[in-house]
C-alpha cells in the first residue's frame, strides 16, 4: 500500500491539468501521508487546476472507502493552511483552498482541491492571490456573495437565521473584516492612480464601500453581545471563550509585572483596569449553563424519515435465516433511498459559516434524538396494533425471495452520514477564518 500511496502522490504532483483520483482501498493513514506528500509544497504551474478526490460512494461502492477518508483528508489539508471555500473555482486566486461535494448524479462523495501555486510576478492583468485578504471574484449565489451584496436592511433581517450560533456570527464577522481590508486596499490603489482590474472593479462596485460593510459588522457585533448576555452558548462555545479570556488574563499579569519593574504607574493602572474587566468576564462565563446546539435546518424531515427507517431495520434484522415475501422485499428495497435522503438532508442542514466541529456536534445530537424518537414510536406502534383473535391468517400461495444480504444496511445510516461530510453552503472566505477565535470578546 505504501508504494501505491507514493505513486498517487507523485501523480498528483505531476498533474498539469485537472484530474481525478480515487481513494478506494486507502485507509486513513495512507490518505494522510498522500496529502502530506502531495500538498506540502506549492505546485509549479502557471494556471490553476482542479484535483478531485473520490472519498466515498453509494451502496454499490461504499465498502471500498474508509469511513474517515473525507475528514482525514480535509484535516491533512488544513495542516498546510488550506481553507475550505465552497465558492472556490478553478482560478489562480483560489489556490490553497478546497471544497467537499456530494455528486448525487454519480452518487459519489468528493473533495475538490485547488492547490497552492508558486508565486509568479504580477502581469498587471489581475491581482496576485496573496494581495488581498478576500479571494474574488465571488461566486454568484455563494454565502459571501449574498451577504456582501445584500442591503443593510436585508442583512439585518437575515443575520439571525443565517448565523444562529455565536460561532457562526463570529465567522461571518471575520469574513466581513477581510472584506473591509480588501476594499480599503482597493481604495488605496485607486488613490495612487493605479486602475483596477475587471475583477477588482467588479467587487468594488458591487460591495457598496467600507461604510456598508461596517454597518453589517456592527449588526453582527450587537447580536453576538446579546447572545452572550442571554447565555445562548453551547458547551463548545463556552469552552472557547473561557480559554481565550484565561489566556488574556495571563497576558495582562505578565505585562503588569513588567510595568511594575519599570515603575510605569499609569500603564499599570490601565492594565489593572483591563484585567479587572477580563476577570469579571471570566466570572460571568463560568456562571453560564451551556445550552444544547440548535436543531438542524431539516430536522423535521429527518425525524420523519427516521421513523420510516426504524421498522425497516427491524424487518431486516428479523429476516435473517428466512425467506422474504415479495411485499417485504419491496419494503426493504426503499431503505437505501431513505438512507440517501437522510444523508442529503443532513448535508443541507449545515450553516453558511459553520465549521466542521460545530456541525458535527449538532449532527450527533440530532442522530441521538431521532434514534430515541424512532424507538419510542416503534414501541408505541407495536403495543397498539395487536391483532384480534381469529383474524390472523397465513396465505398458502405467497411468493418468497431471498433477503440478498440486506442485513448489512442496518448500519448504513451511520456510515453514510460519517462519510458524507457536508457540501457546505458556507465558505471560509480565503484565509479570513483562520483567526476567527483570536479575540476572547463576544463582539470584538
Amino acid at each position: 500500500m505504501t508504494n501505491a500511496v507514493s505513486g498517487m502522490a507523485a501523480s498528483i504532483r505531476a498533474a498539469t491539468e485537472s484530474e481525478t483520483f480515487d481513494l478506494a482501498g486507502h485507509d486513513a493513514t495512507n490518505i494522510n501521508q498522500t496529502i502530506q506528500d502531495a500538498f506540502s509544497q506549492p505546485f509549479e504551474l502557471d494556471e490553476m487546476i482542479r484535483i478531485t478526490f473520490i472519498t466515498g460512494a453509494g451502496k454499490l461502492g461504499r465498502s471500498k472507502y474508509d469511513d474517515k477518508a473525507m475528514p482525514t483528508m480535509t484535516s491533512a489539508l488544513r495542516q498546510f493552511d488550506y481553507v475550505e471555500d465552497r465558492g472556490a473555482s478553478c482560478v489562480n486566486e483560489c489556490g490553497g483552498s478546497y471544497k467537499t461535494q456530494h455528486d448525487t448524479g454519480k452518487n459519489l462523495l468528493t473533495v475538490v482541491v485547488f492547490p497552492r501555486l508558486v508565486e509568479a510576478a504580477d502581469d498587471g492583468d489581475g491581482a496576485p492571490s496573496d494581495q488581498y485578504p478576500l479571494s474574488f471574484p465571488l461566486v454568484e449565489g455563494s454565502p459571501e456573495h449574498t451577504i456582501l451584496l445584500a442591503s443593510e436592511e436585508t442583512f439585518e433581517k437575515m443575520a439571525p437565521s443565517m448565523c444562529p450560533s455565536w460561532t457562526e456570527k463570529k465567522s461571518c464577522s471575520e469574513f466581513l473584516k477581510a472584506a473591509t481590508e480588501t476594499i480599503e486596499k482597493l481604495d488605496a490603489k485607486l488613490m495612487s492612480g493605479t486602475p483596477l482590474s475587471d475583477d477588482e472593479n467588479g467587487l468594488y462596485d458591487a460591495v457598496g464601500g467600507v461604510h456598508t460593510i461596517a454597518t453589517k459588522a456592527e449588526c453582527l457585533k450587537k447580536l453576538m453581545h446579546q447572545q452572550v448576555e442571554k447565555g445562548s452558548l453551547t458547551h463548545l462555545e463556552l469552552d472557547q471563550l473561557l480559554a481565550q479570556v484565561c489566556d488574556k488574563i495571563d497576558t495582562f499579569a505578565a505585562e503588569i509585572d513588567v510595568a511594575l519593574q519599570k515603575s510605569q504607574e499609569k500603564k499599570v493602572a490601565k492594565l489593572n483596569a483591563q484585567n479587572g474587566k477580563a476577570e469579571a468576564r471570566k466570572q460571568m462565563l463560568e456562571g453560564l449553563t451551556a445550552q444544547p446546539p440548535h436543531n438542524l435546518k431539516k430536522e423535521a424531515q429527518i425525524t420523519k424519515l427516521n421513523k420510516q427507517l426504524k421498522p425497516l431495520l427491524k424487518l431486516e434484522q428479523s429476516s435473517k435465516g428466512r425467506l422474504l415475501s415479495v411485499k417485504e422485499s419491496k419494503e426493504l428495497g426503499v431503505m437505501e433511498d431513505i438512507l440517501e435522503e437522510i444523508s442529503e438532508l443532513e448535508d443541507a442542514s449545515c450553516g453558511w459559516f459553520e465549521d466542521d466541529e460545530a456541525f458535527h456536534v449538532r449532527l450527533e445530537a440530532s442522530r441521538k434524538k431521532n434514534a430515541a424518537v424512532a424507538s419510542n414510536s416503534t414501541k408505541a406502534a407495536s403495543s397498539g396494533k395487536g391483532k384480534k383473535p381469529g383474524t390472523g391468517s397465513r396465505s398458502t400461495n405467497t411468493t418468497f425471495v431471498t433477503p440478498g444480504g440486506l442485513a448489512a444496511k442496518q448500519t448504513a445510516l451511520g456510515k453514510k452520514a460519517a462519510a458524507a461530510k457536508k457540501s457546505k453552503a458556507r465558505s471560509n472566505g480565503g484565509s479570513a477564518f483562520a483567526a476567527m477565535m483570536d479575540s476572547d470578546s463576544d463582539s470584538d
Side-chain angles (χ1 to χ4, degrees):
M1 181 63 72
T2 301
N3 292 333
V5 171
S6 298
M8 178 179 289
S11 298
I12 295 170
R13 294 292 305 176
T16 57
E17 57 184 23
S18 297
E19 293 190 25
T20 299
F21 296 89
D22 195 340
L23 296 181
H26 295 287
D27 59 25
T29 301
N30 292 328
I31 293 171
N32 184 65
Q33 188 62 51
T34 296
I35 299 306
Q36 289 186 26
D37 293 343
F39 296 100
S40 60
Q41 299 296 325
F43 283 50
E44 295 183 2
L45 298 171
D46 294 329
E47 297 182 355
M48 180 57 63
I49 61 173
R50 178 189 293 104
I51 301 178
T52 304
F53 294 88
I54 301 175
T55 60
K59 59 181 180 180
L60 297 179
R62 182 181 293 117
S63 61
K64 299 178 182 178
Y65 299 90
D66 192 303
D67 289 344
K68 299 180 180 179
M70 183 176 287
T72 297
M73 182 173 179
T74 56
S75 176
L77 286 169
R78 288 194 295 270
Q79 291 178 10
F80 298 107
D81 295 327
Y82 276 70
V83 295
E84 183 168 11
D85 184 352
R86 285 203 62 201
S89 57
C90 202
V91 294
N92 287 13
E93 288 75 15
C94 290
S97 64
Y98 69 90
K99 58 183 178 181
T100 59
Q101 294 182 329
H102 182 191
D103 188 334
T104 55
K106 298 179 180 178
N107 203 11
L108 296 175
L109 299 170
T110 62
V111 176
V112 181
V113 182
F114 301 97
R116 186 173 286 107
L117 306 183
V118 174
E119 294 183 9
D122 186 8
D123 58 6
D125 195 27
S129 60
D130 62 346
Q131 185 174 348
Y132 300 105
L134 181 67
S135 296
F136 59 89
L138 300 175
V139 177
E140 185 173 357
S142 66
E144 294 78 18
H145 181 271
T146 301
I147 67 172
L148 285 181
L149 269 67
S151 66
E152 296 171 20
E153 295 77 12
T154 300
F155 180 85
E156 185 174 356
K157 293 177 181 179
M158 67 190 293
S161 58
M162 175 187 68
C163 301
S165 71
W166 182 92
T167 304
E168 290 173 86
K169 292 182 179 71
K170 182 69 173 178
S171 295
C172 186
S173 67
E174 288 296 331
F175 170 75
L176 291 176
K177 180 181 178 181
T180 299
E181 294 174 358
T182 299
I183 297 301
E184 288 175 343
K185 284 195 172 187
L186 293 176
D187 278 330
K189 188 173 181 179
L190 286 172
M191 291 297 291
S192 69
T194 305
L196 301 181
S197 68
D198 290 343
D199 287 340
E200 290 171 336
N201 196 62
L203 177 69
Y204 190 84
D205 290 342
V207 168
V210 173
H211 175 73
T212 300
I213 302 175
T215 301
K216 295 174 182 177
E218 186 63 29
C219 172
L220 281 176
K221 180 179 179 180
K222 181 179 178 181
L223 291 173
M224 291 165 65
H225 179 75
Q226 292 174 349
Q227 195 155 359
V228 173
E229 290 295 315
K230 293 178 181 179
S232 301
L233 301 170
T234 64
H235 194 318
L236 182 63
E237 291 168 342
L238 274 177
D239 286 347
Q240 290 173 333
L241 288 171
L242 280 170
Q244 290 157 10
V245 75
C246 287
D247 288 342
K248 181 159 284 191
I249 290 172
D250 291 341
T251 300
F252 284 141
E255 292 178 352
I256 289 172
D257 288 341
V258 173
L260 286 172
Q261 293 174 9
K262 296 181 179 180
S263 299
Q264 297 173 329
E265 295 181 1
K266 291 184 177 180
K267 186 174 183 180
V268 170
K270 181 179 179 180
L271 290 171
N272 277 326
Q274 293 175 334
N275 187 65
K277 291 181 179 179
E279 289 284 0
R281 180 178 176 80
K282 178 185 176 183
Q283 185 175 1
M284 181 270 293
L285 291 172
E286 289 176 336
L288 296 178
T289 302
Q291 301 299 309
H294 58 278
N295 289 338
L296 297 182
K297 182 179 180 180
K298 307 292 184 179
E299 188 76 42
Q301 294 114 300
I302 293 173
T303 298
K304 182 178 180 180
L305 289 172
N306 271 296
K307 289 180 179 179
Q308 297 175 21
L309 183 67
K310 191 70 177 182
L312 297 179
L313 293 173
K314 184 176 181 181
L315 173 60
E316 182 186 35
Q317 183 67 26
S318 66
S319 69
K320 291 182 177 180
R322 70 174 179 84
L323 298 176
L324 293 175
S325 67
V326 172
K327 179 181 178 181
E328 290 175 328
S329 182
K330 287 181 178 179
E331 289 177 347
L332 290 179
V334 304
M335 187 164 65
E336 187 65 30
D337 293 334
I338 294 177
L339 291 169
E340 293 288 345
E341 188 173 355
I342 288 174
S343 177
E344 291 173 5
L345 289 171
E346 288 180 341
D347 290 346
S349 295
C350 183
W352 276 8
F353 293 92
E354 187 172 25
D355 59 39
D356 291 349
E357 186 176 9
F359 180 66
H360 179 72
V361 171
R362 290 203 302 132
L363 193 56
E364 289 302 312
S366 172
R367 290 172 183 167
K368 289 180 181 179
K369 181 169 64 176
N370 278 304
V373 170
S375 178
N376 293 336
S377 176
T378 301
K379 290 179 181 178
S382 62
S383 62
K385 291 187 178 181
K387 293 183 178 180
K388 295 180 180 180
T391 60
S393 63
R394 187 182 299 269
S395 174
T396 57
N397 60 349
T398 302
T399 304
F400 293 91
V401 295
T402 60
L406 289 171
K409 292 182 183 176
Q410 80 184 81
T411 58
L413 177 58
K415 291 183 178 180
K416 175 67 180 177
K421 291 292 285 183
K422 47 204 173 295
S423 296
K424 300 186 89 172
R426 62 161 168 85
S427 164
N428 286 343
S431 60
F433 297 132
M436 66 169 283
M437 302 305 295
D438 282 349
S439 171
D440 71 293
S441 172
D442 54 283
S443 58
D444 297 332

